[in-house]
Amino acid sequence: MSQDTVRLIPSDEGSWRLDAYLRRGGYEAARKAVTSMAPAGIIAEVRKAGLRGRGGAGFPAGLKWSFVPQGVSGPKYLCVNADEGEPGTFKDRAILVRDPHRLLEGMVIAAFAVGIHTAIVYVRGEYERIAGRLREAMAEAEGAGFLGPDIFGSGFGLEVVIHFGAGAYICGEETALLESVEGRRGTPRLKPPFPAVAGLFRAPTVINNVETLANVPSIIGRGADWFTAQGLPKDCGTRLFSVSGAVRRPGLYELPTGIPLRTLIEDHAGGPPEGVSVKAVIPGGLSAPVLRADELEAHLDFESMALVCSMAGSAGVIVIGDRTPMLEVLGVMSRFYAHESCGQCTPCRIGTSWIHRTVTRIAAGQGRRGDLDLILSLADGIKGRTLCPMGDAAALPIQALVTKFRDELEQAVER
Amino acid sequence: MSYAPSAAVLERIDRAVAAYPERSAALLPVLRLIQEESGWVPPAAEVWAADKLGLNPVRVREVLSFYTMFRRRPAGRTVVQVCRNLSCTLAGAEEVIAALRRELGLGDGADTTADGAVTLVAVECLGNCDHAPCLQIDGVDRGPVTRDSAAAIVRELRGR
Ligand SMILES: Cc1cc2nc3c(=O)[nH]c(=O)nc-3n(C[C@H](O)[C@H](O)[C@H](O)COP(=O)(O)O)c2cc1C
Ligand code: FES
């Protein structure tokens, strides 16, 4: 990739330290924003940049910020979603490890734009060690006056708190995350009210993914026009694609939005290992409906993925080789959702565990005719009938898997 | 049985409580700090935490039982988490888990070795799928492992 594109994952030595970040031009955008831009101007620039949320849902970031009511007194919060629970995704980890200052700079800009003075970074419990880098970066930034009570001598202050999760996928869902920060079980809230109006501690709250915020410094530093020159017109910039499974070079690839799935898998990740061919690909984290090998021409952006009835999601691309039985994939999937359902909504709680019991029975060689239809109808019973999107996140990939690989699964049932 | 954290942990707990506008919000960090020191959260510590944060003890139990990383039983001196989500399964996680259980001599349903050295927990995605199949040992990532290398790692842990 040329020098002149967004680079979220730097490769220079000691890249996570403040001096290295400053050598890469770090904190110039925050300085510009805080000392010379109007908050509304910052939001307008981010909207113009077409930056869509990188946490999974793809909501335009600038638009989200503009929903926060202005001119009301009382606290407002920024919650940074570093829960990274979507299986197959390991990009936020890389930002925390290699470029924590970029995240902090993005947070300062977002907070200034919305008028927020307290930020909470929700880090999954499994990343506690990794968060040590973020903690060090916070101390460095505070020492340099880039964070804390008086940023760049402007009088604007931002305090940052790290809050650790404790092993619950649902806490990545934004309202469950708020519950968890408030010291409760991670059960999602009914919307409305939306967090922008009544979120953390009932105050207006912006929730953004780590990668979303890490994109903000270059948008402000170099301008929306520069940013929109990469990727697609309404879904701009780059994405961090986490590639794992049956490829020669699993790893993280930062590429413009909208690249073909095949290009990512074959040219960047090296294609499947010797003697293996691609049977299926999950393109956007485990919750993204599976694609068959004949669908690899699809492009990796929110709209194109929706056109093939899947989703770009968290950009976690899991490649499944021809030797893997799809029943095994279905088993992992059904176990995961049954385990992670928070239990609040009956269709999701009962549906996911019933599906999992059925899959487990098939795997034990006790499949019955009609089992696949049972699974499909249970998934149908979950879809659209839950308070949060986790119901769909469980039902849709299970339905896609059963529908697209029905013949193979039928054989497993009748074995 | 009563519970009291060490002075050092108590100081960290007090700092955690001060970081939130409402005391009850500090429940997760308080439980995490208790577990960090004790290896688990004993019933007496639940009562202590409830008292500390002005909560009904049932509120503490509710949270403790929801989050899988919190332990309500003592754990081994080392906790090994082994990932079994999709990318790790594609790379042989189930064989790794079987090898680890064999090496540790864990019978059906047991998760901790008889000598109290190691607790083995199979977990969902650790966010390290490009290193599949992978482990996390007391919070430190390891991977990719093989059946043999994973068994060798826990053999060494037991000897410690
Ligand atoms: C079940 C579930 C799990 C989620 N997990 C995550 C997660 O781990 N990280 C994340 O950033 N977003 C996650 N999300 C999406 C968040 O709800 C939210 O859309 C996102 O944090 C908003 O930030 P963004 O607009 O910057 O993407 C999850 C959503 C659902 C329904
Ligand atoms: S599937 Fe094992 S780390 Fe992601």
Side-chain angles (χ1 to χ4, degrees):
Chain A
M1 206 183 297
S2 84
Q3 269 320 108
D4 215 38
T5 51
V6 185
R7 292 192 80 177
L8 295 168
I9 307 298
S11 52
D12 51 323
E13 200 169 322
S15 64
W16 58 90
R17 299 211 175 86
L18 180 59
D19 54 356
Y21 189 54
L22 292 175
R23 277 198 296 277
R24 296 197 303 276
Y27 288 104
E28 283 310 315
R31 184 188 303 278
K32 174 175 159 191
V34 171
T35 62
S36 75
M37 289 176 79
I42 297 170
I43 295 180
E45 197 69 16
V46 173
R47 283 183 74 165
K48 194 170 150 207
L51 172 64
R52 298 184 60 169
R54 300 317 198 217
F59 197 83
L63 186 60
K64 185 184 281 188
W65 300 357
S66 73
F67 290 157
V68 176
Q70 291 301 321
V72 286
S73 62
K76 299 188 198 103
Y77 296 99
L78 171 65
C79 286
V80 182
N81 196 338
D83 197 47
E84 191 146 83
E86 187 60 41
T89 316
F90 42 87
K91 66 195 181 66
D92 299 335
R93 164 195 284 266
I95 293 173
L96 294 172
V97 169
R98 301 217 50 97
D99 214 359
H101 280 288
R102 183 181 293 275
L103 170 62
L104 290 174
E105 184 174 12
M107 288 163 58
V108 169
I109 297 169
F112 178 74
V114 186
I116 291 170
H117 301 289
T118 309
I120 284 129
V121 188
Y122 191 97
V123 181
R124 62 181 304 192
E126 295 85 347
Y127 285 4
E128 191 180 338
R129 294 270 166 157
I130 290 170
R133 289 259 169 98
L134 179 64
R135 219 186 273 288
E136 280 172 39
M138 279 160 54
E140 283 184 320
E142 221 163 295
F146 302 155
L147 208 62
D150 182 17
I151 297 173
F152 303 114
S154 66
F156 170 74
L158 180 66
E159 185 207 4
V160 180
V161 176
I162 299 178
H163 185 98
F164 288 106
Y169 168 65
I170 193 61
C171 289
E173 192 283 329
E174 56 186 21
T175 62
L177 183 151
L178 299 176
E179 287 290 302
S180 184
V181 175
E182 291 183 14
R184 283 189 293 273
R185 309 180 83 147
T187 47
R189 297 178 183 172
L190 190 62
K191 293 191 269 195
F194 288 92
V197 177
L200 190 62
F201 303 115
R202 301 159 300 281
T205 302
V206 168
I207 301 148
N208 273 131
N209 171 258
V210 168
E211 184 187 353
T212 310
L213 290 164
N215 270 294
V216 170
S218 43
I219 290 172
I220 295 304
R222 313 181 73 162
D225 290 335
W226 168 83
F227 191 78
T228 53
Q230 304 158 72
L232 301 178
K234 277 195 219 147
D235 182 355
C236 310
T238 60
R239 285 204 78 172
L240 291 172
F241 294 99
S242 310
V243 186
S244 65
V247 289
R248 277 177 229 246
R249 291 190 296 274
L252 199 60
Y253 298 92
E254 181 178 0
L255 294 162
T257 56
I259 61 143
L261 186 50
R262 184 183 298 287
T263 308
L264 174 66
I265 294 173
E266 284 176 4
D267 301 351
H268 295 277
E274 186 76 44
V276 176
S277 63
V278 175
K279 177 170 170 180
V281 178
I282 293 174
L286 195 69
S287 305
V290 68
L291 299 175
R292 285 185 313 253
D294 61 5
E295 295 175 293
L296 300 190
E297 304 312 323
H299 291 235
L300 288 161
D301 56 87
F302 288 105
E303 273 181 27
S304 307
M305 280 292 127
L307 285 176
V308 291
C309 300
S310 186
M311 57 180 207
S314 65
V317 177
I318 309 171
V319 181
I320 299 165
D322 57 344
R323 293 183 200 158
T324 300
M326 290 319 251
L327 184 63
E328 187 172 29
V329 177
L330 185 59
V332 171
M333 221 180 238
S334 63
R335 181 189 63 222
F336 177 72
Y337 294 111
H339 182 254
E340 300 298 340
S341 171
C342 80
Q344 187 173 222
C345 307
T346 312
C348 175
R349 182 183 67 242
I350 308 274
T352 53
S353 50
W354 195 338
I355 291 172
H356 183 52
R357 276 200 311 277
T358 309
V359 175
T360 308
R361 188 164 44 69
I362 299 172
Q366 282 154 15
R368 298 178 202 139
R369 181 158 304 154
D371 272 348
L372 296 181
D373 286 322
L374 172 65
I375 293 170
L376 289 175
S377 82
L378 286 165
D380 226 24
I382 302 173
K383 211 164 58 182
R385 292 188 170 86
T386 57
L387 210 139
C388 91
M390 156 110 187
D392 287 4
L396 296 173
I398 288 173
Q399 283 189 327
L401 197 78
V402 172
T403 310
K404 290 187 177 176
F405 295 92
R406 178 122 197 174
D407 290 348
E408 183 191 326
L409 290 168
E410 241 12 303
Q411 282 175 16
V413 170
E414 282 168 22
R415 192 182 49 191
Chain B
M1 234 178 34
S2 73
Y3 168 86
S6 67
V9 166
L10 184 61
E11 197 199 309
R12 290 171 69 196
I13 285 176
D14 285 332
R15 248 185 289 141
V17 173
Y20 299 88
E22 294 175 8
R23 283 182 89 75
S24 52
L27 183 53
L28 268 75
V30 167
L31 294 175
R32 196 171 55 83
L33 289 166
I34 290 171
Q35 179 163 299
E36 194 182 298
E37 180 168 65
S38 304
W40 63 303
V41 183
E46 290 181 43
V47 176
W48 184 89
D51 197 45
K52 178 86 189 161
L53 300 177
L55 295 168
N56 191 311
V58 75
R59 271 273 285 113
V60 177
R61 175 64 60 90
E62 184 178 272
V63 163
L64 197 59
S65 59
F66 183 83
Y67 295 93
T68 53
M69 287 178 79
F70 290 137
R71 280 188 297 274
R72 289 168 54 211
R73 279 181 300 145
R77 288 188 292 283
T78 303
V79 176
V80 177
Q81 302 201 91
V82 50
C83 175
R84 64 188 316 190
N85 207 281
L86 187 54
S87 308
C88 286
T89 295
L90 296 176
E94 289 307 324
E95 289 88 61
V96 169
I97 293 171
L100 287 172
R101 295 188 67 83
R102 213 173 314 119
E103 179 64 38
L104 294 170
L106 295 174
D108 274 352
D111 65 354
T112 302
T113 53
D115 59 2
V118 180
T119 292
L120 180 72
V121 200
V123 297
E124 300 300 348
C125 182
L126 287 166
N128 199 18
C129 330
D130 53 342
H131 293 85
C134 61
L135 315 174
Q136 204 178 67
I137 301 172
D138 284 342
V140 179
D141 291 304
R142 296 289 291 266
V145 295
T146 60
R147 272 179 307 191
D148 294 345
S149 73
I153 290 169
V154 297
R155 202 175 309 131
E156 199 198 309
L157 288 175
R158 274 189 101 173
R160 275 214 303 245

